[in-house]
Every structure is written in structure tokens, then in C-alpha cells.
Amino acid sequence: MKVKVIPVLEDNYMYLVIEEHTREALAVDVAVPKRLLEIVGREGVSLTTVLTTHHHWDHARGNAELARLLPGLEVLGADERICALTRRLVHGEELQFGAIHVRCLLTPGHTSGHMSYFLWEDKCPDPPAVFSGDALSVAGCGSRLESTAQLMYQSLVETLGTLPAETVSSPTLPHLRGLASHTTEGVLWARAHRGQPRVCAKSGALQRPREGQAVVGQEEG
Amino acid sequence: MKAKLLWAKKRDEDDVPTVPSTLGEERLYNPFLRVAEEPVRKFTGKVAPAEVLQVLCRERLSFERAAEPLQPQARALLALQWGLLSATRQK
């Protein structure tokens, strides 16, 4: 399982997950389809499926164009409001793409129909990965817009928080300013970054510190 | 937490992404996953996890508001550019 991290829209990420034996690929949260297709072309993979975490434009606005460019594309998610949705997923549903398994985890809070995707590969030393959209970010979470605090708590602590410790968490927004808010030094730093895009990168490689983790590629910004 | 912040700063300076992290790391420093822990309860003054979470969301919002500079209303700016405000003044 190879995961390409694609920075888009200044402070978001799209992800392309590649099944390396079958060369099939899935995309998570397509905001900029042209950019995604360039990478699909360069990798020589066949993009069959889009997993959308929720209906907001910065996660789903590329679906319609991508579906037009790739006839037969499956666009999956849990919310009817997701643009160009072809099938609605339910909590606990499992999908399979070659050796890659996907477990669909409904994580309401940010939106009522927010789905996170837990991926792992058979007979593979790579740790599993969770694509949590705006439900869980680095050191924070998306704002609660549509659900009760109780439901959001269940999503964060019971659904996402109980995944294996080695799970690689891949949110759409890094939200590191949230982390900055926890220390005085961080607050000063966040103030210095006022008006600039959030902590993120326009380009660069995401190198894994340990061996045996999923390979993550490098993309130009 | 400080170590993670240093790491993030370094990656920001090097212009490389600040994702991903692991769930194990998140459980250590992400307050939204730690709503049942004593320090977080104490900070929020609440005990029930959902209430703790609610206070954290509110605190985060006020932090973000403090960190963002006040933006003049985009519509008001546009109205000014189009000369719509002077039309009002002539009345």
C-alpha cells in the first residue's frame, strides 16, 4: 500500500492510495481533480474509486469533474450531500481493493454524515492508516458543526481513539495551530504566523522515520 | 507536546507536510482524545466527556479568533470598490 500525500488549496491534503500489485488506486477527498490526474498518470495506476469523508467543498468539489473525466468512477461516502455520489456507505461496511481493506467508520461531529476510512493491507508489514477528513487532525479536530457533543465524543474517543496505536493518522487539515494553543511558546509562534496559511507545506516529501511503514511519495508543490 | 511543536516548526520551515502522525501520538497530546483524563477535566472544569469536549471546542474557537486578524467585511469592501457606498451617501 503506497500513499501519496498531495497538498492542495494552501492548507489541505488529498491522498492517493495505490494497491501496488494490481496498480489500482483510490483517492481520498478530491478537491483538485487535474492535480490528482497528473499524479495518477505519472504513477501509471488506474483510479477506480473516490472515498469522500464529507460533503464540504474543500473535500468533494472535484468529484463531479473527476467523474466526468473518468467514466465508471465510483464516488463513495456517507452523506447524500456529497457531490456526484454514486453509492452511500454505512457505518462498519468493509470494502476491498486487491489486498487493501477499507473499514468505513461513521464519525459525526464536524458534519452529521462524516465518514472516516481505516485501511490496512493483507500480509504487509506497513501499519494501517486512517483517513479522518476533518474529524480528527494533528493535535486537534474539526469544529463541531452538525452533531451533538455526545456524538462527537463517541466519534473521537470511541471510534477513532480506539484504533491501534501504530495507525498512521492522515487528516485533510493539519490544524497544528490547535497544537500551538497548548503552550505559551506555541501561542507566540501562532501569532507570528498570523494571516499566513496554516502550518502545512506546499511541496515536499513525507519521509517515514521508521522502516516498514507505508511508502509515501514526493510531489511538487 | 513541545517536542511535537518543534518538529512541526522544523517541517514548516523546511516546507514539508506536517501530516501524518500516529494514533498513539494523538492519544498522548490531542486534548480532544483526552477528554476523560484528569488534567483536561481540570482545565475545563467539567467531568462528563461530552461537556469537556464542548468546553474545549469553545476554547479553541476563542483562541482561533484571537489569532486571526480582524478582516474587514468582504462585501463591504466590494461595495466600496463599486462606489455603492457613495450612492447611499447622496440620498
Side-chain angles (χ1 to χ4, degrees), chain A residues 95-116:
Chain A
L95 313 168
Q96 196 166 352
F97 302 88
I100 297 176
H101 297 260
V102 179
R103 184 175 301 144
C104 305
L105 304 169
L106 195 64
T107 46
H110 182 65
T111 68
S112 56
H114 190 294
M115 191 72 100
S116 297

Short mmCIF file of all heavy atoms in Angstrom, two decimals, chain A residues 95-116:
data_model
loop_
_atom_site.label_atom_id
_atom_site.label_comp_id
_atom_site.label_asym_id
_atom_site.label_seq_id
_atom_site.Cartn_x
_atom_site.Cartn_y
_atom_site.Cartn_z
N LEU A 95 -14.82 -2.62 2.50
CA LEU A 95 -14.60 -2.67 1.06
C LEU A 95 -13.24 -3.31 0.84
O LEU A 95 -12.39 -3.30 1.73
CB LEU A 95 -14.57 -1.25 0.46
CG LEU A 95 -15.69 -0.28 0.88
CD1 LEU A 95 -15.34 1.13 0.45
CD2 LEU A 95 -17.00 -0.72 0.28
N GLN A 96 -13.03 -3.86 -0.34
CA GLN A 96 -11.73 -4.45 -0.62
C GLN A 96 -11.24 -4.06 -2.00
O GLN A 96 -12.01 -4.08 -2.97
CB GLN A 96 -11.81 -5.98 -0.49
CG GLN A 96 -10.43 -6.59 -0.39
CD GLN A 96 -10.44 -8.03 0.07
OE1 GLN A 96 -11.47 -8.56 0.46
NE2 GLN A 96 -9.27 -8.66 0.02
N PHE A 97 -9.98 -3.68 -2.07
CA PHE A 97 -9.34 -3.32 -3.34
C PHE A 97 -8.06 -4.12 -3.41
O PHE A 97 -7.06 -3.75 -2.79
CB PHE A 97 -9.04 -1.83 -3.40
CG PHE A 97 -10.29 -0.98 -3.23
CD1 PHE A 97 -10.72 -0.60 -1.97
CD2 PHE A 97 -11.03 -0.60 -4.33
CE1 PHE A 97 -11.87 0.17 -1.82
CE2 PHE A 97 -12.18 0.16 -4.19
CZ PHE A 97 -12.61 0.54 -2.93
N GLY A 98 -8.06 -5.23 -4.12
CA GLY A 98 -6.90 -6.12 -4.12
C GLY A 98 -6.64 -6.57 -2.70
O GLY A 98 -7.53 -7.10 -2.03
N ALA A 99 -5.42 -6.29 -2.21
CA ALA A 99 -5.07 -6.72 -0.85
C ALA A 99 -5.43 -5.65 0.20
O ALA A 99 -5.23 -5.85 1.39
CB ALA A 99 -3.58 -7.04 -0.78
N ILE A 100 -5.93 -4.51 -0.26
CA ILE A 100 -6.24 -3.42 0.67
C ILE A 100 -7.69 -3.52 1.16
O ILE A 100 -8.62 -3.65 0.35
CB ILE A 100 -6.01 -2.04 0.00
CG1 ILE A 100 -4.53 -1.87 -0.36
CG2 ILE A 100 -6.47 -0.90 0.92
CD1 ILE A 100 -4.21 -0.59 -1.11
N HIS A 101 -7.84 -3.48 2.46
CA HIS A 101 -9.17 -3.49 3.05
C HIS A 101 -9.50 -2.09 3.55
O HIS A 101 -8.63 -1.38 4.06
CB HIS A 101 -9.22 -4.42 4.28
CG HIS A 101 -8.95 -5.84 3.92
ND1 HIS A 101 -9.94 -6.77 3.78
CD2 HIS A 101 -7.78 -6.49 3.67
CE1 HIS A 101 -9.40 -7.94 3.47
NE2 HIS A 101 -8.10 -7.79 3.39
N VAL A 102 -10.76 -1.71 3.44
CA VAL A 102 -11.21 -0.42 3.94
C VAL A 102 -12.38 -0.67 4.89
O VAL A 102 -13.35 -1.30 4.50
CB VAL A 102 -11.71 0.49 2.79
CG1 VAL A 102 -12.20 1.83 3.33
CG2 VAL A 102 -10.63 0.69 1.75
N ARG A 103 -12.27 -0.20 6.11
CA ARG A 103 -13.42 -0.24 7.02
C ARG A 103 -13.97 1.17 7.15
O ARG A 103 -13.22 2.11 7.43
CB ARG A 103 -13.03 -0.80 8.38
CG ARG A 103 -14.25 -0.96 9.31
CD ARG A 103 -13.91 -1.61 10.62
NE ARG A 103 -13.33 -2.93 10.40
CZ ARG A 103 -12.34 -3.44 11.16
NH1 ARG A 103 -11.82 -2.73 12.14
NH2 ARG A 103 -11.88 -4.63 10.91
N CYS A 104 -15.27 1.32 6.92
CA CYS A 104 -15.90 2.63 6.94
C CYS A 104 -16.38 2.94 8.36
O CYS A 104 -17.15 2.17 8.93
CB CYS A 104 -17.07 2.67 5.98
SG CYS A 104 -16.60 2.20 4.31
N LEU A 105 -15.91 4.02 8.92
CA LEU A 105 -16.25 4.39 10.30
C LEU A 105 -16.99 5.72 10.30
O LEU A 105 -16.42 6.76 9.95
CB LEU A 105 -14.97 4.52 11.14
CG LEU A 105 -14.05 3.30 11.18
CD1 LEU A 105 -12.71 3.66 11.82
CD2 LEU A 105 -14.71 2.16 11.95
N LEU A 106 -18.25 5.67 10.68
CA LEU A 106 -19.03 6.90 10.72
C LEU A 106 -18.56 7.73 11.92
O LEU A 106 -18.53 7.23 13.05
CB LEU A 106 -20.53 6.57 10.84
CG LEU A 106 -21.47 7.73 10.54
CD1 LEU A 106 -21.35 8.20 9.09
CD2 LEU A 106 -22.92 7.33 10.83
N THR A 107 -18.15 8.97 11.65
CA THR A 107 -17.59 9.82 12.71
C THR A 107 -18.26 11.19 12.69
O THR A 107 -17.64 12.20 12.34
CB THR A 107 -16.06 9.97 12.53
OG1 THR A 107 -15.79 10.27 11.15
CG2 THR A 107 -15.32 8.72 12.92
N PRO A 108 -19.53 11.25 13.08
CA PRO A 108 -20.24 12.54 13.07
C PRO A 108 -19.65 13.52 14.08
O PRO A 108 -19.04 13.10 15.08
CB PRO A 108 -21.67 12.16 13.45
CG PRO A 108 -21.57 10.87 14.19
CD PRO A 108 -20.38 10.16 13.60
N GLY A 109 -19.83 14.79 13.83
CA GLY A 109 -19.30 15.84 14.71
C GLY A 109 -19.11 17.08 13.87
O GLY A 109 -19.89 18.03 13.94
N HIS A 110 -18.11 17.05 13.01
CA HIS A 110 -17.87 18.16 12.09
C HIS A 110 -19.09 18.29 11.17
O HIS A 110 -19.66 19.37 11.02
CB HIS A 110 -16.59 17.90 11.32
CG HIS A 110 -16.22 18.99 10.37
ND1 HIS A 110 -15.89 20.25 10.79
CD2 HIS A 110 -16.14 19.00 9.01
CE1 HIS A 110 -15.62 20.99 9.73
NE2 HIS A 110 -15.77 20.26 8.64
N THR A 111 -19.49 17.17 10.54
CA THR A 111 -20.77 17.12 9.83
C THR A 111 -21.49 15.85 10.30
O THR A 111 -20.86 14.95 10.85
CB THR A 111 -20.61 17.05 8.29
OG1 THR A 111 -20.04 15.79 7.94
CG2 THR A 111 -19.78 18.18 7.76
N SER A 112 -22.80 15.79 10.04
CA SER A 112 -23.55 14.62 10.53
C SER A 112 -23.23 13.36 9.72
O SER A 112 -23.34 12.26 10.22
CB SER A 112 -25.04 14.92 10.48
OG SER A 112 -25.39 15.29 9.16
N GLY A 113 -22.81 13.54 8.46
CA GLY A 113 -22.53 12.36 7.63
C GLY A 113 -21.04 12.21 7.35
O GLY A 113 -20.64 11.88 6.24
N HIS A 114 -20.22 12.43 8.36
CA HIS A 114 -18.77 12.35 8.17
C HIS A 114 -18.29 10.91 8.32
O HIS A 114 -18.53 10.27 9.33
CB HIS A 114 -18.07 13.24 9.21
CG HIS A 114 -16.60 13.41 8.95
ND1 HIS A 114 -15.71 12.36 9.03
CD2 HIS A 114 -15.86 14.49 8.59
CE1 HIS A 114 -14.49 12.82 8.73
NE2 HIS A 114 -14.56 14.11 8.47
N MET A 115 -17.62 10.40 7.30
CA MET A 115 -17.10 9.03 7.34
C MET A 115 -15.57 9.08 7.37
O MET A 115 -14.96 9.83 6.61
CB MET A 115 -17.58 8.27 6.10
CG MET A 115 -17.35 6.78 6.13
SD MET A 115 -18.45 5.93 7.30
CE MET A 115 -19.71 5.28 6.20
N SER A 116 -14.97 8.27 8.26
CA SER A 116 -13.52 8.10 8.24
C SER A 116 -13.22 6.72 7.68
O SER A 116 -14.06 5.82 7.76
CB SER A 116 -12.94 8.22 9.65
OG SER A 116 -13.17 9.52 10.16
#
